[in-house]
Amino acid sequence: MPERTELRLTPQRGAVLGVLKAADDHPTAAEVYERVRIAAPGIGSATVYRALAMLVATGHALELNLGDGSAARYDANTSRHDHAVCERCGRAADVDHPVPDGMVAEIARRSGFTITGYDLQFRGLCPECQTAGAGHVPGPAGAAEHSPGS
């Protein structure tokens, strides 16, 4: 996470940051644009995209690239935290549970890396997708399916 640097908060940047701070769903740039247009109807999509880039570059927001070719999502919570990501709809939720004491040091010792930071990402199905899909959670790629009695 970049250090937070000074940022001239224009009305447009303020509107984008306000949307991010109000969001609990880690919106995509397109979702931020749609939400900002409610408060600032004349704002253009390019302005929103530039504001997001500036907020990320100055450490006022995080850009989350959650894999699988999905669109980046944005988060105004720049403190150290992790995420749970839905494999079906792409929704991301904050995970506010610290790793056990000593785990990072042990990983550094075993890997030989000097660890300067980390981002954990848990994958699965969000509550809405569990309900919609009868709760089947696909296993990791290449994992064998087990049925009762096997």
Side-chain angles (χ1 to χ4, degrees):
M1 289 176 226
E3 290 291 318
R4 190 175 281 204
T5 59
E6 191 63 34
L7 172 70
R8 188 171 66 86
L9 204 57
T10 64
Q12 295 86 352
R13 290 176 188 159
V16 171
L17 186 57
V19 163
L20 291 180
K21 286 183 175 183
D24 62 359
D25 62 344
H26 304 79
T28 64
E31 291 167 339
V32 171
Y33 172 62
E34 290 302 319
R35 294 173 193 180
V36 169
R37 286 183 52 210
I38 294 168
I43 197 166
S45 61
T47 300
V48 170
Y49 283 72
R50 281 192 307 271
L52 285 169
M54 182 62 68
L55 291 168
V56 169
T58 59
H60 290 79
L62 298 176
E63 181 178 68
L64 309 173
N65 293 298
L66 304 175
D68 298 338
S70 60
R73 293 181 172 270
Y74 294 87
D75 191 350
N77 178 359
T78 59
S79 65
R80 229 250 24 94
H81 68 286
D82 302 305
H83 296 93
V85 180
C86 182
E87 292 178 321
R88 186 170 294 151
C89 71
R91 176 181 171 202
D94 289 345
V95 173
D96 189 23
H97 187 78
V99 299
D101 288 340
M103 185 173 129
V104 175
E106 179 63 15
I107 291 169
R109 186 187 68 73
R110 288 184 183 201
S111 68
F113 276 70
T114 297
I115 297 178
T116 58
Y118 67 92
D119 298 298
L120 290 178
Q121 188 178 109
F122 300 92
R123 297 190 149 293
L125 294 179
C126 69
E128 290 80 10
C129 288
Q130 289 176 51
T131 301
H136 175 70
V137 178
E145 293 286 329
H146 295 287
S147 59
S150 63

